[in-house]
Amino acid sequence: MSRHRIALVMASGVASALLLTACGSSSDGSTNTGAAAPAASTPTETTAPADGATSTPSSGAGHMVSTNMLMSKTMSGMGTVVTDAQGFTLYRYGKDQVNMSMCTGTCAQTWMPVMADGTPQGMGVQAEVGVVTRDDGMKQITLAGWPLYRYMGDTKAGEMNGQGKNGTWFAVTPAGKKMAASG
């Protein structure tokens, strides 16, 4: 790839991050926390953050994360939720339907679809772990048929900053249900 093209890709990523920060909201009405998604160095390259998850840029779904393991984890004072292999809380979207993701475009910039990295497995989850093919052809992990997401506002394992956000985003329980709203 030419240096000129690499520079254009990097500039585009920085401009996108600045635009997301400046806009401050997504189409689902959620407020952007100002945390911008990491820009990839090339459109086809995958960037591996320090937590071991994989972020992959995609024109239809923003940044996505991938995993091959869903785990049950008890959160202090909150109950038991499902996390990815790195311990990040996973969420359900109230506007989704069973086996159908409705979070695309700017929604998926803040709520990163969790993509299957191989055949996903569950450890300590009671509901069936599956995969749904999104409109963009990517394979998103489901629990009890509900597509799963990771929240951009959760910057470290064990956080649940997306719980109850806009009355439509809820941490998912090991049974595939949405966790009751807090507070």
Side-chain angles (χ1 to χ4, degrees):
M1 183 178 293
S2 73
R3 287 183 189 184
H4 178 61
R5 187 168 177 194
I6 290 172
L8 286 174
V9 170
M10 290 176 70
S12 173
V14 170
S16 296
L18 291 173
L19 180 62
L20 284 173
T21 301
C23 290
S25 67
S26 66
S27 64
D28 71 348
S30 65
T31 301
N32 186 342
T33 62
S41 59
T42 65
T44 58
E45 187 173 316
T46 299
T47 308
D51 65 12
T54 303
S55 290
T56 308
S58 169
S59 59
H63 286 282
M64 300 170 281
V65 292
S66 61
T67 191
N68 63 355
M69 179 63 70
L70 302 182
M71 300 184 302
S72 174
K73 182 174 181 180
T74 302
M75 303 291 224
S76 179
M78 293 299 293
T80 305
V81 299
V82 175
T83 69
D84 63 13
Q86 292 75 37
F88 282 87
T89 303
L90 299 182
Y91 298 90
R92 276 182 49 173
Y93 184 37
K95 295 181 181 181
D96 278 349
Q97 297 175 11
V98 172
N99 293 316
M100 184 183 296
S101 172
M102 303 303 287
C103 181
T104 60
T106 51
C107 173
Q109 295 291 325
T110 302
W111 299 92
M112 301 173 288
V114 179
M115 298 302 170
D117 182 15
T119 302
Q121 304 293 314
M123 187 166 68
V125 297
Q126 294 87 35
E128 181 180 352
V129 178
V131 175
V132 64
T133 303
R134 295 173 55 90
D135 289 343
D136 60 9
M138 300 294 289
K139 306 289 185 188
Q140 186 172 1
I141 297 177
T142 61
L143 188 61
W146 294 100
L148 299 179
Y149 304 86
R150 207 165 94 181
Y151 180 49
M152 182 70 73
D154 289 344
T155 58
K156 60 184 175 185
E159 290 184 333
M160 288 182 56
N161 296 320
Q163 174 60 14
K165 197 101 166 143
N166 300 320
T168 58
W169 290 97
F170 299 93
V172 66
T173 69
K177 307 269 185 214
K178 63 182 183 180
M179 178 175 271
S182 60

